[in-house]
Amino acid sequence: MAYEVVIGLEAHAQLLTVSKMFCGCRTAFGAAPNTQTCPVCLGMPGVLPVINRKAVEFAIQTGLALNCRIAPMNRFARKNYFYPDLPKGYQISQYELPICQDGWVEIGENGTAKRIRIRRAHLEEDAGKNLHTGIAGASHVDLNRAGTPLLEVVTEPDMRSQEEAHDYRYFPDPDLVPLRIASEMVEEARKTLPEMPEALYKRFMEEYGLPEYDADVLTSAKDLAKFFEDTVKAQAGITSLSGKELGKETSNWVMVELLGLLHKGKPKPGGGTEPWTIEQNPYEQSPVTPQGLAELLIMKRKGEVSGPIAKAVLEEMFNTGKSATEIVKAQGLT
Ligand code: ZN
Ligand code: MN
């Protein structure tokens, strides 16, 4: 018998609020265990949760980015299970009325993009953390994370449906009123959304006349897209050429020459390179800035330097941080 595996994904995204989902405790990571807690997130009896407005705003923004419908009325529910890092004995989540519903996201290479349907994205709180190392024979519980806002994004298995594997005895949380989302709040959130990758990709092809491949590479990282666009704009400001006239050549230089140099690593003061660390952003910390590259490309366009010389100058700019004009003057490269 042949089987076909069909899988839907559940992904938890932490919403970057300053305070927790239902209390005022900080969400900052790395504090000493149990120092960012209060009776609400410790699950003490008699306390009442209060919904964090910022978390709701972030959930709406994410829902819009995922092409979801924002439910005008949604509700929190208790998901009952026992675990040492869940002091209440239930997690506050959303069940039959989630805040974001019926969206989609496109994945994969442009041209062969596949649309993944999103069934729902709901607000919930994170649990604490059990620590099983440190003292032999003992486990510790750190509740700093308990109550941190999460958005759980649930995709469709994109063929058949699967019943919930466990029965958590969900029921509407009687401590929280249903959450009504005014349409003004949704429109407000829509205004704050950045340009989405798909829109950016299409705009790069239209505005700069780029082929699909170039648009795909340049929009693969937000800061790379910005680098390219800043380089075009810096040239346009000086030469009065249009984005379409400057687009393809700039793309070649950013995508091939500059990325080639950045991939080698970060230049060291004494010469040579070292790998970029995870905290470093090569596009922001590149020794060659968009303005610097624009200056070089204008010199090349005016015929002040040839193509092969421009490449050598770019490498020198990258290694030394000097400007194209300085290098050309010092070396008499015209
Ligand atoms: Zn708290
Ligand atoms: Mn969850």
Side-chain angles (χ1 to χ4, degrees):
M1 191 188 279
Y3 291 94
E4 188 192 0
V5 180
V6 181
I7 297 168
L9 295 180
E10 300 179 356
H12 290 92
Q14 184 186 332
L15 299 170
L16 294 177
T17 56
V18 175
S19 60
K20 293 187 182 180
M21 187 67 230
F22 300 109
C23 63
C25 293
R26 306 289 94 176
T27 54
F29 181 76
N34 298 306
T35 54
Q36 297 183 154
T37 56
C38 73
V40 173
C41 55
L42 289 175
M44 297 290 171
V47 297
L48 286 173
V50 177
I51 300 168
N52 180 335
R53 186 187 171 93
K54 199 74 206 168
V56 174
E57 288 172 7
F58 284 160
I60 294 171
Q61 276 186 316
T62 314
L64 291 174
L66 296 172
N67 304 291
C68 287
R69 188 163 54 80
I70 307 302
M73 213 282 279
N74 58 98
R75 184 156 66 189
F76 288 96
R78 292 186 179 180
K79 181 181 183 179
N80 295 282
Y81 65 100
F82 171 78
Y83 212 66
D85 62 12
L86 191 74
K88 294 194 293 292
Y90 61 86
Q91 177 196 30
I92 306 178
S93 182
Q94 295 190 309
Y95 189 53
E96 84 291 24
L97 293 172
I99 184 164
C100 310
Q101 303 172 10
D102 304 323
W104 51 267
V105 66
E106 252 166 18
I107 59 162
E109 301 288 311
N110 285 301
T112 59
K114 181 175 162 59
R115 187 172 281 205
I116 304 294
R117 288 178 301 152
I118 289 163
R119 179 184 294 178
R120 56 187 283 152
H122 61 256
L123 275 165
E124 61 183 30
E125 56 177 343
D126 206 347
K129 194 166 64 177
N130 291 326
L131 306 158
H132 305 294
T133 53
I135 296 179
S139 286
H140 291 161
V141 182
D142 176 8
L143 293 171
N144 280 352
R145 201 180 63 189
T148 298
L150 299 178
L151 190 73
E152 180 176 325
V153 182
V154 182
T155 74
E156 294 288 349
D158 263 344
M159 274 163 108
R160 60 203 82 121
S161 68
Q162 159 80 48
E163 285 305 305
E164 294 276 319
H166 304 281
D167 183 356
Y168 289 106
R169 302 282 162 180
Y170 281 97
F171 64 90
D173 193 313
D175 286 344
L176 290 160
V177 293
L179 183 59
R180 288 181 194 280
I181 311 279
S183 56
E184 295 79 43
M185 195 172 175
V186 177
E187 289 322 305
E188 213 40 58
R190 203 187 298 277
K191 279 186 219 154
T192 66
L193 281 185
E195 191 173 17
M196 293 294 122
E198 185 64 18
L200 189 63
Y201 166 79
K202 286 186 181 139
R203 185 167 68 76
F204 271 21
M205 288 195 288
E206 282 167 23
E207 201 170 324
Y208 301 116
L210 298 183
E212 283 185 1
Y213 177 79
D214 294 45
D216 194 29
V217 172
L218 292 173
T219 58
S220 62
K222 199 170 101 190
D223 295 311
L224 174 59
K226 184 175 179 334
F227 194 106
F228 163 77
E229 199 155 32
D230 287 349
T231 309
V232 174
K233 283 180 182 160
Q235 295 170 82
I238 300 168
T239 61
S240 77
L241 288 165
S242 72
K244 268 212 172 80
E245 290 167 294
L246 294 161
K248 183 58 185 146
E249 194 190 19
T250 306
S251 165
N252 290 344
W253 279 81
V254 171
M255 224 170 58
V256 183
E257 307 305 331
L258 184 77
L259 281 190
L261 291 168
L262 287 174
H263 281 161
K264 285 186 192 167
K266 186 185 165 83
K268 288 196 288 190
T273 56
E274 59 193 3
W276 298 94
T277 66
I278 197 88
E279 292 84 20
Q280 289 170 337
N281 180 339
Y283 308 114
E284 273 179 19
Q285 295 179 25
S286 163
V288 179
T289 62
Q291 292 70 30
L293 178 57
E295 184 192 357
L296 175 66
L297 294 182
I298 289 170
M299 289 167 79
K300 183 178 158 297
R301 197 171 274 274
K302 285 185 189 159
E304 292 172 18
V305 288
S306 69
I309 285 179
K311 282 181 195 179
V313 170
L314 183 70
E315 193 165 348
E316 187 71 7
M317 287 165 69
F318 185 79
N319 291 332
T320 62
K322 287 185 184 149
S323 75
T325 312
E326 276 178 283
I327 293 165
V328 169
K329 232 181 225 164
Q331 304 189 4
L333 297 166
T334 49

